[in-house]
């Protein structure tokens, strides 16, 4: 059965899209069949995998608003076994169009039920907000990965997200759980980065991923070439750390 994971944090700039692209590509490299859903109107996960949002015939917008079949909207990416349900700027309008729909929080869950056995993993890259589309993603997901930046204000806002997860778990999706907190943009030379990791560990224990994602130039450069780090520079620390993250996720699943 497909495992659906939302990658969410309403704080911007914490590495959500970088995580989504590179974790998806790493899982596909480890022989898993993966679908990446770009649920952010900025469409960075789409363009970061070399797909031009302007050239998409259909996107996540049509699936949500017009009940367009997901199978027809999905496109192949530059990575074997990794498909993409892309996004465009018009997704901004979907929030308003969903408001009057019956069961508006469950639209994404319902459309994903049509492809439930087609993939091992479905990853959803959420926008940096707690709007209706992110609520749809969390309602559709089995679990959520929360990227946390290794910087001073990192833990700010996490309580708001955890509260949202709690409400969704109580009212819309009883099976939702936190897959893990993922420390991103980590620089081992900085005492602050190590303090934040220790603080996360003391607060959340086993639900903090052992893998941390380092600050890495190649990781930052890769999206501008429309490639995940594992294709852009497989030897880079950014590529290796995401591969380790994918392995950690798969091993967790096995347990």
């Amino acid at each position: 059965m497909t495992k659906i994971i939302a990658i969410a944090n309403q704080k911007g700039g914490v590495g959500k899209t970088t995580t989504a692209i590179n974790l998806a590509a790493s899982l596909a490299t480890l022989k898993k069949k993966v679908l990446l859903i770009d649920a952010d109107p900025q469409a960075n996960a789409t363009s970061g995998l070399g797909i031009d949002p302007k050239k998409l015939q259909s996107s996540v917008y049509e699936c949500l608003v017009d009940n367009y079949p997901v199978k027809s909207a999905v496109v192949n990416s530059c990575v074997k076994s990794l498909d993409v349900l892309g996004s465009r700027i018009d997704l901004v309008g979907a929030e308003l169009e969903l408001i009057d729909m019956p069961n508006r929080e469950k639209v994404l869950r319902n459309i994903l039920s049509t492809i439930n056995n087609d993939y091992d993993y479905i990853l959803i890259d959420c926008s940096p907000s707690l709007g209706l589309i992110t609520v749809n993603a969390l309602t559709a997901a089995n679990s959520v990965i929360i990227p946390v930046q290794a910087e001073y204000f990192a833990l700010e806002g996490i309580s708001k997200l955890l509260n949202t997860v709690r409400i969704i778990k109580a009212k819309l999706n009883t099976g939702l759980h936190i897959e893990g907190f993922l420390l991103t943009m980590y620089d081992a030379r900085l005492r602050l980065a190590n303090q934040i990791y220790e603080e996360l560990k003391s607060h959340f224990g086993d639900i903090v991923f052992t893998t941390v994602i380092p600050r890495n130039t190649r990781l930052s450069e890769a999206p501008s070439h429309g490639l995940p780090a594992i294709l852009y520079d497989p030897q880079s620390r950014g590529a290796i750390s995401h591969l380790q993250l994918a392995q950690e996720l798969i091993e967790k699943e096995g347990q």
Side-chain angles (χ1 to χ4, degrees):
M1 180 124 154
T2 305
K3 170 113 189 200
I4 303 173
I5 304 173
I7 298 168
N9 190 334
Q10 80 277 14
K11 196 172 187 303
V14 297
K16 276 189 302 292
T17 301
T18 301
T19 301
I21 291 171
N22 290 289
L23 177 56
S26 298
L27 286 166
T29 304
L30 294 170
K31 306 281 189 290
K32 299 294 179 185
K33 188 92 177 79
V34 186
L35 172 65
L36 175 59
I37 298 176
D38 190 348
D40 185 346
Q42 293 176 82
N44 291 336
T46 307
S47 59
L49 282 167
I51 299 156
D52 184 348
K54 295 191 186 87
K55 291 183 180 168
L56 284 175
Q57 297 294 308
S58 49
S59 68
V60 68
Y61 172 84
E62 283 80 9
C63 296
L64 287 169
V65 173
D66 302 326
N67 205 19
Y68 191 81
V70 178
K71 283 183 184 179
S72 306
V74 160
V75 293
N76 301 120
S77 76
C78 51
V79 182
K80 192 182 172 197
S81 293
L82 172 56
D83 292 342
V84 179
L85 177 56
S87 176
R88 293 188 303 247
I89 191 65
D90 58 4
L91 187 60
V92 171
E95 294 266 346
L96 290 171
E97 296 187 58
L98 287 170
I99 283 172
D100 294 327
M101 284 191 186
N103 290 324
R104 61 189 181 185
E105 298 90 355
K106 297 179 181 174
V107 176
L108 186 58
R109 180 200 278 179
N110 293 338
I111 63 175
L112 291 186
S113 66
T114 63
I115 54 160
N116 229 347
N117 297 312
D118 296 3
Y119 296 94
D120 297 308
Y121 290 92
I122 296 175
L123 302 186
I124 309 171
D125 181 30
C126 299
S127 66
S129 76
L130 293 176
L132 194 48
I133 292 172
T134 300
V135 168
N136 260 270
L138 293 171
T139 304
N142 305 115
S143 64
V144 55
I145 288 175
I146 303 172
V148 178
Q149 193 176 356
E151 289 194 354
Y152 183 66
F153 292 114
L155 304 177
E156 211 180 63
I158 282 183
S159 58
K160 200 174 174 185
L161 178 61
L162 292 178
N163 197 38
T164 303
V165 169
R166 245 191 316 271
I167 292 165
I168 286 169
K169 190 176 167 68
K171 298 189 174 177
L172 296 163
N173 181 5
T174 51
L176 182 66
H177 67 276
I178 292 167
E179 192 69 48
F181 290 88
L182 174 68
L183 199 63
T184 61
M185 304 179 203
Y186 178 78
D187 187 339
R189 297 167 303 176
L190 300 178
R191 195 166 59 182
L192 178 65
N194 292 304
Q195 281 173 346
I196 288 165
Y197 184 72
E198 291 309 319
E199 209 168 319
L200 269 179
K201 269 291 196 193
S202 69
H203 271 78
F204 302 109
D206 289 347
I207 55 169
V208 179
F209 284 104
T210 307
T211 307
V212 296
I213 308 299
R215 278 196 181 276
N216 182 244
T217 310
R218 308 302 270 168
L219 196 55
S220 309
E221 289 171 354
S224 64
H225 296 270
L227 294 169
I230 206 157
L231 290 187
Y232 181 63
D233 184 353
Q235 301 306 315
S236 67
R237 287 189 310 134
I240 291 164
S241 62
H242 280 98
L243 208 49
Q244 287 169 342
L245 176 64
Q247 280 164 332
E248 191 177 342
L249 190 64
I250 292 165
E251 280 163 23
K252 241 178 150 184
E253 210 64 23
Q255 290 165 11

